[in-house]
């Protein structure tokens, strides 16, 4: 997943589940990388849907698979969203392309 995310260039990248951001900057370091603050993964549905507003405007979302997730929407919410397209993933995390307004309907 990290190798694949390095091929993304000149994009707005949001990431969750980790404090490490350097790998998401891209091989040419042109990505604008942000770790948005938002509700916890176990937040009630109404609070979870706040991610729809937070993730609007990003081109990509990286969901890191940490031993425990301390931020971000659960991956099932991202995977079910019509705006999110799975690009690559492995045991370390998943990369999704966001092609429109994120809805967070699966919260």
């Amino acid at each position: 997943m990290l190798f694949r995310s390095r091929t993304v260039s000149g994009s707005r990248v949001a990431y969750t589940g980790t404090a490490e951001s350097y790998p998401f900057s891209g091989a040419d370091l042109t990505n604008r990388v942000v770790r948005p603050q938002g509700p916890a993964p176990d937040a009630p549905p109404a609070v979870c849907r706040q991610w729809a507003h937070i993730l609007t405007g990003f081109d990509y979302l990286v969901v890191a698979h940490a031993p425990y997730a301390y931020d971000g929407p659960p991956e099932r919410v991202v995977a079910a969203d019509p705006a999110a397209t799975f690009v690559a993933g492995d045991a370390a995390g998943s990369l999704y392309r966001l092609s429109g307004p994120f809805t967070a309907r699966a919260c």
Side-chain angles (χ1 to χ4, degrees):
M1 186 275 303
L2 296 181
F3 172 78
R4 182 65 182 256
S5 68
R6 291 181 54 81
T7 64
V8 173
S9 179
S11 297
R12 293 192 64 214
V13 178
Y15 70 98
T16 65
T18 183
E20 301 297 325
S21 65
Y22 178 75
F24 313 130
S25 296
D28 58 2
L29 304 176
T30 60
N31 292 333
R32 290 167 293 177
V33 180
V34 176
R35 180 173 165 235
Q37 298 298 309
D42 58 352
V47 176
C48 173
R49 287 187 195 97
Q50 290 176 8
W51 280 104
H53 174 72
I54 292 168
L55 294 175
T56 296
F58 284 98
D59 302 311
Y60 289 90
L61 172 63
V62 176
V63 180
H65 302 161
Y68 55 91
Y70 54 87
D71 67 351
E75 185 161 2
R76 66 174 173 72
V77 171
V78 177
D81 201 280
T85 302
F86 180 81
V87 175
D90 59 21
S94 300
L95 175 66
Y96 291 86
R97 180 179 294 112
L98 300 179
S99 60
F102 190 77
T103 64
R105 287 184 211 152
C107 284

